[in-house]
Every structure is written in C-alpha cells, then in structure tokens.
Amino acid sequence: MKISARQNLEGKCLGKFLQLNSMKSKQMVNNNLIILMHTQMKKMKLLFLVLFITMANGFAQQRTLAGQVLDEQSKPMAYANVFIKGTAEGATTDTLGYFSFTTARKGDIILCVHMLGYAEFCRTISGNTLAPMLVKMNPDNVALDNVVVAAGNFRLKGNSQWGGMSAVDMVTTAGSTGDLYRSLQTLPGAQIVGESGKLYVRGGDNSESQTYIDEMHVLSPYTNPGDNVPVRGRYSPFMFEGINFSTGGYSSEYGQGLSSVLPLSTKDTSPITKIGVNPSSVGLGGGGTKAFSNGSMSVSLDYQNLGPYRAVFPDRLDWINPYQLFAGSSQIRFNPDPNIVYKTFIGYDRTTFTQQMTSPVDQTTRNFDMKEDNLYLNSTFQRKTESGYKIFAGGAFSLLNQQIGDATVAGDTYNNKEWEVHLKTKATKRFSNLLRLNVGVENFFRHNQTAYADSSVIHRASINHFISALFATANLNLTANLSAELSSRVEYMSIDNSWNYNPRVALTYNLNGIHFSGILGRYTQLPDNKYLLLNQKLLPENCMHTIGGIYYEKGDKVYRVETYYKKYNDLALQQPTVLNSEGYGYSKGVDLFFNDRSLFKNLEYMMSYSLNLSKRKYQQYTELTTPQYATVHNATLALKYTIPALKTIWGITDRFASGRPYHDPAKDGIMNSTAPFYNSVDMSLTYLVSKKVIVYASATNLLGRKNIYDYNYTNGASGYRITPVTASSDHFFYLGIFITLSGKTAYDVSNF
Amino acid sequence: MSLIFNNKLLKINQTMKTIKVYVCAILIALPFFASAQELASVVETVKKANQVPEFIQVRNQLERFSMSQPQEWLPYYYMAYTDIQLSFMLPSKDDKKRYLTDAQSCLAKLTNLSGANQSEVHTLKGFRLYALIASDPQTNGPLYYGELTACYDKALALNANNPRAVILSALFKNDMAKFMHQSYPDFQKEIEKAATLFAAEDTATVNPTWGKAWLDRAKAQK
C-alpha cells in the first residue's frame, strides 16, 4: 500500500502534534504526580494530625472513675479489684475501700468489682457520670458453701452431709475395719445394728437407705456374708474421692429412699500410673492404674477367704465351706477436654459359703449353701459448657443373682434374681448469684424373680416394673445471709400406675457464722420386693421429713445440733390374712455432733450422740411399736492421734447403744422387753513402714463384751427355749499391708 | 502516556499504601506493645513482691490482664503463682482455701491454652498441691502426695532443665524422706543442678524465673 504526500504530511503533522502533546503530557503527568503526591502527603499529614488530635484529645479528655467498695456489713473492703470490663484498666481499693483511676474511654462503660469469696459486681456507667460510686458486695454463696464444706466437713445446703470426708479419714477411724458403712455408723443419726452391719438411719429400716456411685443408683451395695455376720460394703472406700452422707432432708434429685442417701463420687482424673498389692488377714488384693494423656484406666482384683482367719479366731458358726469372695473391678476415665469427663465403672463379685445350721426346734441340721453373683456397670458423661451449663448423663446396670441350697429346710432351694437399669440426665446452671437451677429426668427399670422349691412344692414369682421421675431444684440466695432451696420430684410408678408428687423446701440462715437450717420434704419409695412379689397393688410408702438444725464452726471445732420428726404413711403391713398398705409410724429425735482438732497437737476427737424415738405399725408389727432394730440412745467417742516420730496414727473408738426392744412371748403385748446395751471399744493403728509400705491394723471390741441384740424364743415341750442373737464373733481383727510396687509412687493405698 | 501515568500513579499509590499499612500496623501494635511493656512491669512487681498487700495488688492487675487478653497464658500463670504465695502468707484457713481454689481454676485454663509452657504449668500445679499439703499436712499429705509427685515428674519429663521443677521436686522428696526418718540421696546433686540452671536463666524476661528462694531454702537444709 502506497502513502500519498498528503497522507505523509498529515502523518508528520500528526507526529509533531503527538510529540508536542507528548511533551505536554509529560509535563502534565509530572504536574499531576506532584499534585497527587501533595494530595497523598496532605492525606498522610491529615492522618497523623487526626491521630495526634485523637491521642491528644484522648489524653486531654480522660475521665476519673472513683468510689468506695463496701462489704455486706457496709464495712470498707480493702484490696477489691475494680476495673472496666474487657480491659486491663482498673485499680485496687485501698484499706478504706476507696478506688480511683482514669480512663480515656467515652460513653457507657461496664465497671466491675471482683473479690474472692464475693459475687462479681458489675454496673453500667454512663459517659457523663462523674459522681463517686458506692459499691456494696455480697458474699458468693457458691464459694461460701465450698469453704464451709471443706473446713467443717458439713454441707449446709441440702443438710446433714459430711463433705470432704476422705477414705483416709475413714480408715483411720478405729472400728471401721476399712469398711465404708461401718465407719459411717460412728456419725450421728446412724444406728448401731451390730449383727447386720447395714445402714439404719434415724429410725429407718436399712432398705430405706440408698447408695449412689457417680449419681447412679447401686441396687446391692452390701456383701452377703450370712446370718448374723456383719455385712461390708462391696466397694473399697479408696475408690471414692467424695463421700457424702445425708441423714435426711436430702435433695429431691434422690428418690426411692425414705431415710438416707449416700452419694459417692469416683475420681474424675487419676493422673498417676501405679500398681500395688495388699495382703491382709482375710485375703489378697491388688491392682493399679495406667494414666494416659487424656485419661486413665484402673483395675482392681480382690480375693477374700475367711477360712484361715476362722482357723485362728473361731466364731460361733459352723462353716462347711468358708466365706469366699472374688471381686474384680475396673474404671476407665476419659477427659478429652478439661470440661468433659467420661467415666465407666464395672464391678463383678462372686460370694460362696456353706454354713451348717441347727434348728432350735428339733435340733436337725442343714447346710445353708450360698452362691451369689453381683454385677454393677455404670457409665457417666459430664460436661461444662462455655455458657455455664453443667450437663450430666448416665446409665447403670445392676444384677444380683442368688442361689441358696438348704435355705429354710434341708433339701430346699431358693433362687433370687434381681436387676435394675437406671438412666439419668440433668442440667444445672447458675443464672445469677440469686438463682441456680437443676433439672433432670430419670428412669428405673426393675425386674425380680424368685423360685422356691422343696420336695413338695415349687413356687415362682416375678415382677417387672419401671419408675419415671422428673426433678427440679432451685437454689435461691435471697439475701447475703438467707438462702432457700425449693425442689420437687414427680414420679410415675408403673407397678400400680400411680403418680407421686414430692415437694421439698430448705432454708438456711447465717447469723455471724451460726447457721440455722430448716427442711421440710416428702419422700416416697416402693415397698420391699418381698412384699411386692406378694401384692403388686401395694401403694408407694411415703415419709415426711421435718428437720431443724444449728451448725457452728470456729477454727478447728465443729458443733452441730439437729432435731427431726419423720412421719411414715402407706407402709406395707402384713395383717394375719392380708398384706396391705395401711402401715404407718413416726420417728423423732435429736442428733448432736462435736469435732475438735485443736485440743492437743496431732489429736483429733469426735463425739456424737443420737436420741431416737421410733414407732411403727408395719410389716410384721401389727401394732404401733418400736421396731427391733431401733435404739433410743447411740453415742460414739472417736479419737485419732498422730505420732510423727513413730510414723503412726492411732485410733480409738468407743461406741455405745442402749438395749434394743425384743418380743418376749411370755409377757403381754409385743416388743415388750429390752436387750442389754451395746458397747464396743475399737482400736486401729496405721504405720508407715516405708514410703512403699503401709501397715494397717484394727481390732474391735477390745473389752470382749458379749453384745446381745435380740432373743429368739422357740416353743418346746418344756416351755420356751431362749436363744440370744449375737454377732458371729465378739471380735474382729484386721491386718492389712499395702505395698506400692511402681517406682514413682508411694504412700498410696488406692489402686484407683 | 496514560499507561505511564497509570503506572506511576500505581507506584505512588502502592508506596502510600505500604506506608499506611506500616502506620496502621504500628498503631495497631502500639497498644499490644504497650500492654507487653505493662505486663513486663507487672511481672517485675510479682518478682519483687514479698508482702501480702503487694501480692494482692499485683494479683488484681494480673486478673485484669487475664480478662482483657484471655488467650495469653502468662497472666493466668502469674495469677496462679500469686494465689499460691498468698495461701502461704495468709493465716486464715478459709483464705488459703479460696486462693488455692482460684489457683486451681487459673491452672485449669492453662492446660489447653496454646503457647503455655506446660513444664512450668505442671510445676505450678505441683507447687499448688504442696501449698495444700502445707496447709493441713495430716489430712492433705496422704491425699495429694501421689498427684504432686506426678506433676513434678511430668514437668521434668517435658523439660528436664526446668530449675523450679528440679528444686521443688528435690525439696519435697527430701521432706518426705525426713518424715520417714530417711534421707534423700540425690538431694545435694539436685541442688547443684538447680543452682546451675538458675544461674544460666535469663531473669530479664517475662517468662517464669521465680524459685531461687526455694533453692536457698534447700541449701539451708543440706
């Protein structure tokens, strides 16, 4: 393509134009850049100016926050932490409770005051508030509770609970022989029923006391050693981190117990890997724990055989095969997060013994042969959420299977199989210092079947039923000194298609450290299975608790007085021709308790006394009378003395109970006589041989008193034959050696 | 032309942006820097404190820090430390219990907090249990002995050269041996090791450097 001259000229002109333009453009660009830079610099200057002005303004416009902090008695509170919420700005009050600090923050702010033991105080302060503030703090009732529980071994809310009791405390109490339930019998409210060993509380039958492990019900907490041989707890006290014992007026969360509850809690974490063995005068045990980064697993095995012991210390019974117990248990704990705990416990034990029994009527003999299997499985989940909820869910399965040969006469057999599934879930949240709520549901599914057979008859019976319950508790801190606990429990029982409503109210008032407490609560429980198997239309038994108490703790001394009245209704009553729910009764009394750790160095002593007046028309008692197990007076004096130079802890316990009523058929009326009083002086010694070896020795009834609990009358040709009911032996000696085998731990008697 | 202009404009803008970013970063970091400086000053006070009012004052400052910067481990750590020190100094059992409970809650927060020196955290956990035992040896000794030993063991497993874990563990073992009328054969060796470690420690840091007083106590026990 050719370019014409004109086109060429035009092209040159255009080129020139462009060149000129280019030069102009360059100049323009430079000008623009300068303008732009100026603009940017201006912006920067402006930015710095704004920042400077802002900062200067901030410094110039700081405001002062000042005031005084007072405690609940309007006394100045020194060292309180006063601060603006979400910031590090604040100050500490001086000895007169005054504070003052400056802040550059404008507008509304939230001013908070913190002091350990007191509820957090927060208030919104508007931007134009200049006047000094007056802040009044109130004690944090949660913190207060914790302190009281630990310092005085009492839990005031919920009544009568000995918090902080440890397995070591229990074992070193003379006469406990390392048993959970025997140790609890030294506390006020518990009654001494020496031939049984089970818990009888404030005039209630032993079936009215319920045991819980990690909030889940235990169907069969006692071993079965035979007639007139005191039972022991199936589970070692060393398993438990917390042992609380409530002798009445307990929270509505616990149902199906008319007299008392014993909630036991296992450790949430067990961070120590350990292994140990403990040979004792009654058997051999051992086990250990393997700790992981987020959990642990514990295993324990125990074999008891009273044969060798009885060979050295014979008792009054004729043993064909000695009492033997094989027990194994394991617990897995998993803590994926500090706020989450999973725990699963499984325990199995098998008991066997054969005892020759002689009939007091015709002197014939039979070999009472017991085989018992017990399984307990318990799995729980706990979580604390960021929003302050505590969530709990758990399930437990209990199975008891007993096979007895020569149960009542030679040649008969009696089988008893019982199981229970317990499911429970609850949520707890403190909404404010004023209100804490606990709401939950639970279900018990129960089964029991029995079969009795002799040469002429076979009798079978069984029941299946369930109990569903909804419970709710509100803790209200009404004032700094007054708190209330309102709770209720609604239960449905499938066996008689009935609904029960159990309300409860508890009030606690703190007057200069003296706590006054009052509780009114209703409790229900189904009759014992042996009656339900005969009549499934029996009503749930019920009991109304009315309790008033005064508690005081100063230094190392704890004082406590508690009085109670319990009214029973709808108790199972075995009339001559009919079994119905027309039984009733009452139990009233006073419990006194004093504990002191300050009299002499290294000495701790405890005194408890219980007065109980109890009468019932129930079960086989067809007239209103005092049940055979009830004692009017119970008293305990327990001393513990530590001698560091000898590395020993000595314990002496003296237990006394007035005579129990019994029925003398030669006299008018029922339960018309009184057996002799009970007394037992027990002693224990704990000796730290080395850091890997602990020796524990215990002996009961050192004075050798023959305690008689009852008399059996047998009608013979020459009149009544009277047989005193005593424990199988007057003394019990226990010697246990706890040996730690693992290298890094010591002074540890717990496998868990 | 416009391309050149645009490019230059772009460059200027970028430069200005970079400056702005730096300025903003400085402005943003300024409070944190100031806060770090302030924390350093508070930590210095912690190290110098030896009276109850001083410990309470500094504990309150740490509490405010912990609430304004909940992801920082040092405020919780030193708060737990001052709580434990206060439990030794206050005569009332209730006060001891309150402060040791608060220390436990601070230490619980440190367990899963990223950046927390777990060897130091476990040492402090053991130290808290030691304070619990000291408050009531008869009751708490048998209860917490095993857990305390496990804490120091864990601290030393994480850092064998943690001087606080070395000396506190040695002191406790020696005390227990004395209680059993025995002796702890490695006591002297552990004291020497702790002394070397303390001497090599940089004390001009906000990180934990306390514990020399316990070394002096151990030396006095030899």
Side-chain angles (χ1 to χ4, degrees), chain A residues 588-603:
Chain A
K588 58 187 177 182
V590 178
D591 291 341
L592 306 174
F593 177 84
F594 175 66
N595 192 75
D596 182 14
R597 294 177 66 184
S598 61
L599 186 63
F600 297 112
K601 194 182 175 188
N602 299 326
L603 174 72

Side-chain angles (χ1 to χ4, degrees), chain A residues 215-474:
Chain A
E215 315 255 342
M216 305 309 298
H217 186 240
V218 182
L219 181 68
S220 174
Y222 304 109
T223 59
N224 184 353
D227 270 359
N228 297 331
V229 183
V231 299
R232 292 174 68 85
R234 287 190 196 274
Y235 307 106
S236 161
F238 299 121
M239 264 176 56
F240 304 110
E241 192 170 47
I243 299 166
N244 293 314
F245 178 41
S246 179
T247 52
Y250 33 88
S251 166
S252 303
E253 183 177 336
Y254 300 106
Q256 294 299 305
L258 292 185
S259 279
S260 74
V261 292
L262 177 64
L264 307 164
S265 53
T266 61
K267 295 171 186 170
D268 283 351
T269 57
S270 189
I272 310 157
T273 294
K274 56 191 172 186
I275 187 164
V277 292
N278 58 294
S280 73
S281 52
V282 296
L284 177 67
T289 293
K290 173 70 183 168
F292 306 102
S293 59
N294 287 327
S296 58
M297 181 176 176
S298 303
V299 175
S300 182
L301 295 170
D302 190 26
Y303 172 69
Q304 290 176 19
N305 185 335
L306 285 178
Y309 176 85
R310 295 289 177 216
V312 180
F313 304 106
D315 64 5
R316 300 187 182 96
L317 305 175
D318 296 321
W319 296 93
I320 307 293
N321 294 309
Y323 170 83
Q324 289 185 80
L325 172 85
F326 170 77
S329 58
S330 177
Q331 187 174 37
I332 298 168
R333 305 168 202 87
F334 179 49
N335 315 88
D337 177 282
N339 293 318
I340 297 175
V341 181
Y342 294 95
K343 288 193 277 192
T344 296
F345 171 81
I346 184 165
Y348 166 78
D349 59 86
R350 181 175 173 80
T351 304
T352 58
F353 64 84
T354 310
Q355 191 182 329
Q356 190 178 70
M357 292 181 167
T358 305
S359 164
V361 180
D362 55 12
Q363 301 300 305
T364 56
T365 59
R366 62 192 164 97
N367 293 337
F368 181 90
D369 181 61
M370 167 66 76
K371 289 183 177 61
E372 181 181 280
D373 295 280
N374 180 69
L375 176 71
Y376 181 65
L377 172 67
N378 160 328
S379 194
T380 60
F381 164 79
Q382 299 168 70
R383 185 180 172 211
K384 288 180 198 166
T385 67
E386 285 182 5
S387 51
Y389 281 95
K390 285 182 189 170
I391 296 162
F392 172 88
F397 175 69
S398 301
L399 172 69
L400 179 71
N401 191 8
Q402 295 173 314
Q403 295 171 308
I404 307 170
D406 287 8
T408 55
V409 292
D412 71 355
T413 58
Y414 175 76
N415 294 339
N416 176 44
K417 187 175 183 181
E418 201 172 345
W419 59 253
E420 177 190 84
V421 173
H422 179 205
L423 304 172
K424 180 176 179 178
T425 184
K426 63 173 183 172
T428 309
K429 181 173 165 70
R430 176 169 285 281
F431 289 94
S432 66
N433 189 47
L434 176 73
L435 175 68
R436 178 178 174 271
L437 271 179
N438 177 32
V439 180
V441 290
E442 67 180 343
N443 278 284
F444 296 90
F445 299 92
R446 289 176 173 173
H447 168 83
N448 189 196
Q449 68 181 61
T450 59
Y452 177 79
D454 64 15
S455 54
S456 59
V457 67
I458 298 175
H459 177 74
R460 288 193 175 88
S462 71
I463 46 169
N464 282 294
H465 64 105
F466 68 87
I467 301 161
S468 297
L470 169 70
F471 55 86
T473 303

Side-chain angles (χ1 to χ4, degrees), chain B residues 48-145:
Chain B
K48 286 178 183 164
N50 58 16
Q51 299 290 322
V52 169
E54 292 168 343
F55 272 111
I56 296 178
Q57 286 261 8
V58 79
R59 185 202 165 276
N60 284 352
Q61 283 180 283
L62 289 160
E63 187 179 33
R64 297 197 289 267
F65 266 107
S66 69
M67 281 184 285
S68 64
Q69 294 166 41
Q71 294 311 310
E72 288 293 318
W73 74 281
L74 282 168
Y76 288 121
Y77 176 87
Y78 281 112
M79 213 164 105
Y81 172 71
T82 50
D83 281 342
I84 296 165
Q85 291 290 2
L86 283 164
S87 82
F88 284 120
M89 299 166 87
L90 293 166
S92 153
K93 278 190 176 178
D94 288 354
D95 285 337
K96 284 178 192 289
K97 170 89 181 164
R98 278 194 189 104
Y99 279 104
L100 290 175
T101 304
D102 190 65
Q104 186 180 23
S105 113
C106 292
L107 289 164
K109 283 173 187 151
L110 286 169
T111 305
N112 280 359
L113 210 56
S114 64
N117 182 329
Q118 290 300 329
S119 175
E120 296 292 0
V121 171
H122 279 89
T123 305
L124 209 51
K125 280 183 178 176
F127 192 44
R128 179 188 160 271
L129 294 170
Y130 177 78
L132 263 176
I133 292 174
S135 71
D136 189 350
Q138 213 166 309
T139 307
N140 292 339
L143 277 180
Y144 299 115
Y145 167 85

